[in-house]
Amino acid sequence: MPKRGYHHGNLRQALVEAALRLIEIKGPTGFTLSEAAKQAGVTPAAVYRHFEGREDLIAEAARQGFLMFADLMQHAYDKYQPSALAAFEATGRAYLAFARKHPGHYIAMFESGISANRTPELADAANRARGVLERAAAELSQHIPAEKRPPASMFSAHIMAMSHGVVELFARNAPGTASPYAPEDLLETGIGVYLRGLGLIDPDD
Amino acid sequence: MPKRGYHHGNLRQALVEAALRLIEIKGPTGFTLSEAAKQAGVTPAAVYRHFEGREDLIAEAARQGFLMFADLMQHAYDKYQPSALAAFEATGRAYLAFARKHPGHYIAMFESGISANRTPELADAANRARGVLERAAAELSQHIPAEKRPPASMFSAHIMAMSHGVVELFARNAPGTASPYAPEDLLETGIGVYLRGLGLIDPDD
DNA sequence: TGTACATCAGTGAACGCGCGTTCACTGATGTAC
DNA sequence: TGTACATCAGTGAACGCGCGTTCACTGATGTAC
């Protein structure tokens, strides 16, 4: 991507990518609009041709993150169909894989303090991601006897919580809360126990 | 607590408390040393009589948080003894209760980016809190047949992850990830399913 | 009880810094004729 | 193909701001004699 003299060519996306890099390295706090501009080879003022300001830039990074996140989970889900159980488990693994692979996006999405309701576009993207997981949960919960079946949205909320918790506490070079287990194992076993608790996995493994 | 003229009397603790208030309102990002000093009725420079700097102040807030956190969980645990199960569940509830009741501390502990290994004192406090949960898990896991018993530290890591995830995703006026369930219910049912998965609760409830 | 003095917790002014944002501008691009 | 002109993406200087931190200082406290 050679730099074109005065006009940049695709500054908007270049700024988003610079922001992601900075957020990943310096945290949501350390990220500054000015530095993102500098990394994109442009004056800070130029940013305002494409974004309303600092927050708006982070929001766009988050939005792109939610879209990728949804795609990644959907893809994992599709791949393991038609087994509802295998597909669901794959979706959980995809959650952690995303956090690992795209930390900048993940931070923008969940740790930047940007509300997912900031703009309709951002809310849509966030809902789409949540929808994937909820559909996977809904399908899987068909296999639970109706009288002891929890609502699918509660089910998926539990999985999201455990996944997010594993990422935050154990998958970052975290607040010293180191653990002897690999995050992937921790999540896999945690979800395993949970699904057994729902009667979806045979007690004898 | 009347303000004593030139000398403050207990500035150190007053600064910690101001910091906690600010962290709670403005997030770990928004908190500034200068404003904390101002709230304590003192020049920013005075802070340096008691702390090495901004980070050190946050670290002290976190340290105090971990101590309270440990006490609170320990207390909940003791109260429901000798039933290992009831005591364990109470410990989980205490986790969420702490996050609710002391958001400033919680943020300083888990969201401020301060490493728990920053100082030995902080690490001690953090370990003490983790120890409470791990002991509760260890005791409870005695009730699982040895051959299908997971390590207690993994067990407690799962519970920490789910608890933390519930706090972050559902108990804050969070990233729009609202949910129709009360965080307390979500955590209670989530832990319930998990314990059932370990065979610690009768499948028929 | 009174005085001298050491200790220490605060002041207040100053620093350099980088931030986000604004503004009038100018250089490059592309389109109409 | 060539020229005039509108559009638009960038510049660069300037702004006011509050930050964390330092420094020499001074006012209050408490202790020794």
Side-chain angles (χ1 to χ4, degrees):
Chain A
M1 190 187 296
K3 189 138 152 272
R4 233 86 53 103
Y6 197 92
H7 280 202
H8 184 285
N10 193 9
L11 182 53
R12 185 179 165 87
Q13 192 56 27
L15 286 169
V16 171
E17 279 155 26
L20 286 168
R21 242 175 292 132
L22 288 168
I23 288 171
E24 178 180 342
I25 296 168
K26 313 208 162 187
T29 309
F31 159 75
T32 63
L33 185 149
S34 298
E35 203 168 350
K38 200 169 155 192
Q39 283 213 7
V42 128
T43 292
V47 178
Y48 291 81
R49 292 280 162 212
H50 299 276
F51 299 96
E52 282 168 28
R54 183 193 132 90
E55 295 246 299
D56 194 39
L57 175 50
I58 300 179
E60 171 60 13
R63 191 190 66 86
Q64 295 187 10
F66 277 115
L67 294 183
M68 291 176 51
F69 191 43
D71 283 351
L72 220 143
M73 289 198 298
Q74 183 70 54
H75 187 262
Y77 179 77
D78 291 343
K79 192 171 163 192
Y80 285 86
Q81 278 284 31
S83 161
L85 179 60
F88 185 83
E89 285 176 330
T91 310
R93 280 194 299 274
Y95 190 109
L96 183 52
F98 176 82
R100 280 245 193 248
K101 210 171 170 184
H102 305 284
H105 286 104
Y106 195 88
I107 294 169
M109 291 153 69
F110 295 113
E111 300 173 41
S112 69
I114 297 292
S115 164
N117 293 321
R118 195 169 189 280
T119 65
E121 293 78 23
L122 182 54
D124 281 356
N127 283 334
R128 191 167 140 202
R130 198 177 22 170
V132 174
L133 193 56
E134 270 179 20
R135 260 173 277 123
E139 215 224 356
L140 182 52
S141 74
Q142 295 302 314
H143 297 75
I144 308 175
E147 76 279 7
K148 39 170 38 181
R149 182 191 301 164
S153 62
M154 174 175 268
F155 182 174
S156 81
H158 286 148
I159 297 299
M160 277 179 59
M162 175 133 28
S163 303
H164 186 71
V166 166
V167 169
E168 294 293 326
L169 294 180
F170 306 110
R172 294 237 180 287
N173 42 353
T177 327
S179 143
Y181 309 106
E184 281 76 7
D185 293 344
L186 215 44
L187 184 56
E188 186 105 24
T189 55
I191 292 181
V193 171
Y194 181 88
L195 295 178
R196 202 167 288 127
L198 285 178
L200 287 163
I201 299 182
D202 193 299
D204 307 321
D205 206 13
Chain B
M1 189 186 301
K3 196 144 144 261
R4 234 85 54 99
Y6 196 91
H7 281 202
H8 184 285
N10 193 10
L11 182 53
R12 185 180 165 85
Q13 193 55 28
L15 285 169
V16 171
E17 278 155 26
L20 286 167
R21 243 175 290 133
L22 288 168
I23 288 172
E24 178 179 342
I25 297 168
K26 313 208 161 186
T29 310
F31 159 75
T32 64
L33 185 150
S34 297
E35 203 168 349
K38 200 169 156 191
Q39 284 214 7
V42 128
T43 292
V47 178
Y48 290 82
R49 292 281 162 210
H50 300 276
F51 298 96
E52 282 169 27
R54 182 193 132 91
E55 295 246 299
D56 194 39
L57 175 49
I58 300 179
E60 173 60 13
R63 191 190 66 86
Q64 296 187 10
F66 277 115
L67 293 183
M68 291 177 50
F69 189 44
D71 283 351
L72 220 141
M73 290 198 299
Q74 183 70 53
H75 187 263
Y77 179 77
D78 291 342
K79 191 171 164 192
Y80 285 86
Q81 279 284 31
S83 161
L85 178 60
F88 185 83
E89 285 175 329
T91 310
R93 281 194 299 274
Y95 190 109
L96 183 52
F98 176 81
R100 280 246 194 248
K101 210 170 169 186
H102 305 284
H105 286 104
Y106 195 88
I107 294 169
M109 290 153 68
F110 295 113
E111 300 174 40
S112 69
I114 298 292
S115 164
N117 293 321
R118 195 170 189 282
T119 66
E121 294 78 25
L122 181 53
D124 281 357
N127 283 334
R128 191 169 139 199
R130 198 176 25 169
V132 174
L133 193 55
E134 271 180 18
R135 258 173 279 124
E139 214 223 357
L140 182 51
S141 74
Q142 294 302 315
H143 297 75
I144 308 175
E147 76 279 7
K148 39 169 38 180
R149 182 192 301 164
S153 62
M154 174 175 269
F155 181 174
S156 80
H158 286 149
I159 297 300
M160 278 180 57
M162 175 134 27
S163 304
H164 186 70
V166 166
V167 169
E168 294 294 325
L169 294 179
F170 306 110
R172 296 239 178 286
N173 42 353
T177 327
S179 143
Y181 309 105
E184 281 76 8
D185 293 344
L186 215 44
L187 184 57
E188 187 105 23
T189 54
I191 292 181
V193 172
Y194 180 88
L195 294 179
R196 201 168 287 126
L198 285 178
L200 287 164
I201 299 182
D202 193 300
D204 307 321
D205 207 11

